[in-house]
Amino acid sequence: MSSLMENLHERAEELQAILDGITEPLVLIDSGFRVRRVNKATLEFSSEPDFPSILGRKCYEILYNRSAVCPYCPMKDHHENEPDFDAGFEGKGEVGREIFHVANDQKETLYLDFFPIRKDGSIVSIVEKISNITRIKEKEEENLRIRNLASLGIFISGVAHELNNPLTGMSLTLQNLMNNLSSMDPAFFRKRLEMIKEDLTRAAMIVLDVISFAKPDKLVTTNADIHETIMKAKDSVTWVYPVLSKNTEWEILSEPGMTFQFNPVKMERLFINLFKNSLQAYDYGEGKIKVEVRRTRNMMHIFVEDTAGGIPEDMLDKIFSPFFSKNKSGIGTGLGLSICHSIVREHSGELTVRSYDRRTRFKISLPLVQPKGN
């Protein structure tokens, strides 16, 4: 018996040595969300001095300083008194999550892998592996910015062409006013001024696209109404593109009072870009733009859908890339969706797209409360 116990003890020490040799935190979690086993990397991650100070405590408390189950946890719907994770675990295999985490007042990007441990056909525990991918993400974003700046020459001609249209319109309108100033009817004069104002707005929006792309501002959020922001974006697009939107029907499935923490100016810019894309896809024809807002416990989901023909499958993975445009005319800066993606990332959210049955459906998922690092 003594020999058996010594053998088991040696095996346990060998297993712990293997776990400690892994530089990423590994945590064994039981069905009550209690920590049952960790490696040394977990001690450093949680800033705890030794194993006894961790074992038996709630995983969300010791790892992420939360008082309740993490909202991104695949077992978030699991009840602690249930004997296994069968009902709460998503899928049959491992599950991954990319999250933002604030540690020592610094925002980090973590990738969490959850591996189910089965016994007698039931998931009795979970192994969570925590990978800090902050530097990788920063490098990816830096490389993307470098490529973007190196590619500025590609779209300079497009920007010049886009600006030339409103500038030419203003020039012709002003010339017409000067030639007919003495005999012009006040109503006609006012109409010409409105045309100049529209052209100025178009030019300003193009310049704003370039500025937003080249030098993103620091995110400042406030408690704002997403319904009000959507309506402002709709009104702006229909006012700036009256002919393009003349035959477009709008279906806005949201109500006033849907408030949460975000930057209303940047979010309005996001919706303007999405709405403008839909209008251009309809190409002056009849169509409908549908906007739906759904609120869950921790997130706000906004869907923007049109039936303008959809996006070819081979383009879906390119549309968020800077300078990419599927505009048939070949003009445009190609920055709209890239800026949308950046705005959502700034808000610690996610922007995805689906195309089916000649429909295009964008989904914007935003946290109701921004992480402290934002």
Side-chain angles (χ1 to χ4, degrees), residues 23-48:
T23 58
E24 296 176 320
L26 288 174
V27 188
L28 178 65
I29 304 166
D30 68 15
S31 59
F33 293 102
R34 291 179 294 268
V35 176
R36 289 306 181 193
R37 191 160 198 163
V38 298
N39 61 352
K40 282 187 177 180
T42 308
L43 295 180
E44 182 179 351
F45 179 82
S46 60
S47 301
E48 292 293 331

Side-chain angles (χ1 to χ4, degrees), residues 214-226:
K215 188 180 179 181
D217 299 326
K218 182 178 179 180
L219 184 69
V220 178
T221 62
T222 185
N223 200 47
D225 188 341
I226 193 66

Side-chain angles (χ1 to χ4, degrees), residues 195-213:
M195 292 172 62
I196 294 175
K197 187 177 180 181
E198 289 179 12
D199 284 331
L200 280 171
T201 303
R202 288 192 182 97
M205 290 175 68
I206 295 168
V207 173
L208 184 60
D209 269 348
V210 177
I211 294 174
S212 298
F213 169 75

